[in-house]
Amino acid sequence: SEVCINASPTQLLITYNAAGLGVPTIQWYSNTIDNITSGTPILSQTNVTFDPPTTSLGKTYYYCILTFPTGSCNLITSKTASVTVNSIPTFSIQPIAVQEICAGNTASLVVAYKDGAGTATYEWYYSNTNTYSGTLISGATGPTYTPPIITTAGNYFYYAVITLSGNNCGSITSDIAEVIVDPNPVVSAQSVPTQSLCVNVVAQTLSVTASAGTGAYTYQWFENNANSNTGGIAIPTATNNSYIPLTNNTGTKYYYCEVKNSTGVSCSVISNTAEVIVTPEPTITKDPASSVVCVGGTPTTLSVTYINGTGTPSYQWFSNTI
């Protein structure tokens, strides 16, 4: 048997068949190694039962020798039985005292124990205060517990109770672990969701407004070739809540901003994308055609066509003598 110190181990018992040879003399022995030849007789232990002591830690082997009074029979010796006495269990790993996470994430809680005896059972408890008055968490029956994703900012408290089945081992309760959940920042929609302009024209300013979160905010703008607020390239100098995109190259780019808390665990939020379409300057593709007519005649209709530019054009015709 394996027990904790000062426990009551399984009682040792032998039975025998004397076969008419009388009542034997019984003597119990103890040994620090597993054999039946080098043990030490235990004073006054001469019955068929023996209750091993458990006041000292360690593993001890016990056996019994029976001596028969008649028939010149040999001694008979029992097999050994071991009794292991362990310390009361203690925690070898406590849950992390304080974990700070962002809303929408979860923590990881782990415990481990040493010493004790028997099979361990685990119970995890949750409390909304830093006390041992928590509520048992259904299904949390292992050394590791991962709470569900926490979406509401606040302070959450957990602790574990480990119970050992070994005699006199009892239960131990962990330290209380605090999980601090910081709110994520909230960011407004892009101030200019889309704009189209000609090359080298100053773009409208993109800006976002952050709220919630903790502390001040840090900003980082990204440029992307795709209409996605992931996978973009950080713009090194764009670290304010507003940004004016460059327009020296034609094409379509998408911009978004990542906003982080400046305190806590830097919870972050990413804005929607803003589209910036840069087109070449407009050029005439068809000029008006000249014509010569007599007075009162009908000249060729004048018309022009163009490419590039952006927006709806306005037209103004001019006349000149030269």
Side-chain angles (χ1 to χ4, degrees):
S1 58
E2 186 176 3
V3 298
C4 287
I5 193 166
N6 296 322
S8 298
T10 302
Q11 186 181 62
L12 303 183
L13 166 69
I14 59 164
T15 59
Y16 62 90
N17 185 350
L21 299 177
V23 178
T25 299
I26 299 172
Q27 179 61 59
W28 287 90
Y29 291 78
S30 66
N31 204 348
T32 56
I33 57 177
D34 188 10
N35 70 44
I36 56 173
T37 59
S38 61
T40 301
I42 304 171
L43 184 64
S44 301
Q45 296 303 320
T46 57
N47 297 317
V48 293
T49 59
F50 169 53
D51 295 304
T54 58
T55 54
S56 298
L57 300 177
K59 188 172 189 177
T60 304
Y61 298 89
Y62 298 95
Y63 61 93
C64 185
I65 295 179
L66 284 70
T67 304
F68 291 89
T70 60
S72 299
C73 295
N74 293 328
L75 304 176
I76 60 172
T77 305
S78 72
K79 295 180 180 179
T80 59
S82 67
V83 177
T84 303
V85 180
N86 295 327
S87 299
I88 295 295
T90 57
F91 282 93
S92 57
I93 298 176
Q94 292 275 9
I96 297 174
V98 179
Q99 298 182 64
E100 192 169 1
I101 63 174
C102 299
N105 293 281
T106 188
S108 180
L109 306 170
V110 179
V111 292
Y113 72 94
K114 62 181 180 180
D115 301 322
T119 303
T121 58
Y122 298 84
E123 294 176 317
W124 287 91
Y125 291 81
Y126 161 75
S127 177
N128 54 14
T129 60
N130 191 10
T131 64
Y132 286 103
S133 58
T135 301
L136 179 65
I137 302 171
S138 176
T141 57
T144 300
Y145 173 61
T146 302
I149 290 175
I150 305 173
T151 58
T152 303
N155 297 64
Y156 301 79
F157 302 91
Y158 302 88
Y159 59 91
V161 175
I162 303 177
T163 302
L164 275 296
S165 63
N167 191 287
N168 201 47
C169 294
S171 299
I172 53 175
T173 301
S174 76
D175 297 338
I176 294 176
E178 180 181 16
V179 178
I180 302 171
V181 181
D182 292 333
N184 291 311
V186 175
V187 66
S188 63
Q190 291 278 13
S191 57
V192 185
T194 185
Q195 56 183 301
S196 182
L197 61 163
C198 288
V199 66
N200 293 322
V201 173
V202 177
Q204 296 182 66
T205 300
L206 308 179
S207 65
V208 294
T209 301
S211 59
T214 58
Y217 305 101
T218 62
Y219 302 88
Q220 178 61 63
W221 288 88
F222 292 80
E223 181 184 82
N224 205 349
N225 291 323
N227 187 10
S228 172
N229 60 1
T230 61
I233 299 174
I235 304 169
T237 58
T239 55
N240 295 315
N241 72 319
S242 61
Y243 173 64
I244 301 175
L246 299 178
T247 59
N248 54 332
N249 291 307
T250 59
T252 301
K253 299 289 185 180
Y254 299 88
Y255 299 88
Y256 60 91
C257 185
E258 181 181 35
V259 182
K260 292 183 178 180
N261 293 334
S262 61
T263 59
V265 288
S266 294
C267 301
S268 63
V269 65
I270 297 177
S271 73
N272 293 331
T273 58
E275 181 184 48
V276 178
I277 304 169
V278 180
T279 64
E281 291 283 355
T283 57
I284 298 293
T285 57
K286 177 185 176 184
D287 286 301
S290 297
S291 60
V292 179
V293 296
C294 291
V295 172
T298 302
T300 301
T301 300
L302 305 181
S303 65
V304 294
T305 59
Y306 75 98
I307 59 171
N308 300 323
T310 183
T312 302
S314 62
Y315 297 85
Q316 176 61 57
W317 288 88
F318 292 81
S319 65
N320 206 344
T321 59
I322 55 176

